[in-house]
Amino acid sequence: MSDQSDQPDIADRSGGVAPASESGGRGKKTPALTRFLPLALVLVVAVIGAMTLGDYLTFETLRDNRVALMAFRDDNYLGLVGLFVLAYVVIVVFSLPGAAVASVTGGFLFGLVAGTVFNVLAATVGAVGIFLAARWGLGAMLTHRLEAAEGRVRILKQALRENEIEVLLLLRLVPAVPFFVANLLPALVGVKLINFLWTTAVGIIPGAIVFTWIGVGLGAVFDRGETPDLSILWEPFVIGPILGLCVLAALPILLKKRRPAAPGKEQ
C-alpha cells in the first residue's frame, strides 16, 4: 500500500517539473531574439531616414535657419552644444543622411577648435553605438560565419586579428571606406572595444578638421548665395596629408611582413 500511495506523488512531482523546464526553455529563446533588436532597429531607422530625411538634412536647411541657430547659440551655448552632439550621434548611429552636413555645421556654429572636438566626440559615440549593437546582436553568429569566409573577407579578418590597431586606423583614414562599414566590420570580427574606441577618435580627426574648417567659412559662402563645395576634400593639399597618414598606419604591417619568421614558428 505504501508503495502504491507513493506513485501519485512521483507523478505529481514529475508533472509539475515539466512545465517549469519548458518555460525555462522558452525563457532562453526570448533573450536570444531580443539580442537582434538593436541592430534591427538601426537598420529600420536607417531605411526610413534615407527615404524621409534626405530633403531636410541639407545645407539649404542650415542656410534657411542660420539666423535662428546663431541667436540660440548666443543665448544658450551649452544647450546648443548638447542638441548638436545628440543630433550628430543619432545621425551616425542610425546611418542617416546628413553626416557631412552635421560636420560642416559644427565648424559653422562653434569654430574650428570647438567644432572639431564636438564633431569627433559625437562621431565616436555614434560609432561605438553601432559597434555595440552589432556585437550584442549579430556579432556571435556572423563572427562564426566569417571564420569560414574566403577571399577578401578572410584576408581582412586575418589582418584585423594580427594588426588590430593598424588596420583600425587604416579603416578610419582611408577615404574610400564608408563610415558605417568601418563601424560594423570590426564588431563582427571581434576586435577589442577599447581599441575600437580610441582608434576611431584618433583616426577621424584629420577628416573632422577638414569638414570643420569648411564650416568655419560657411557664412561667407551663404552670403554669396553659393553652396559649400565638398570636392575640396579631394584636392591634393587635403587628400595628400591624409594619404600620408595612411602610409604611416600601414608601415608597421609592412614591416611585420618583411620581418623573418622565428625559427620555431616556421612551418
Side-chain angles (χ1 to χ4, degrees), residues 65-84 109-110:
N65 295 276
R66 172 185 180 184
V67 176
L69 286 171
M70 291 298 188
F72 186 76
R73 181 198 62 186
D74 295 339
D75 294 337
N76 192 349
Y77 185 85
L78 293 180
L80 184 58
V81 169
L83 289 175
F84 171 78
L109 294 176
F110 307 111

Side-chain angles (χ1 to χ4, degrees), residues 28 30 50 179 195 216 220:
K28 292 179 180 179
T30 301
F179 196 67
N195 289 340
V216 171

Side-chain angles (χ1 to χ4, degrees), residues 244-260:
L245 291 174
C246 292
V247 172
L248 288 177
L251 188 59
I253 300 176
L254 299 176
L255 291 177
K256 287 180 183 179
K257 288 184 175 297
R258 293 179 61 87
R259 186 181 304 164

Side-chain angles (χ1 to χ4, degrees), residues 96-113:
L96 300 176
V101 175
S103 297
V104 173
T105 301
F108 176 65
L109 294 176
F110 307 111
L112 181 60
V113 176

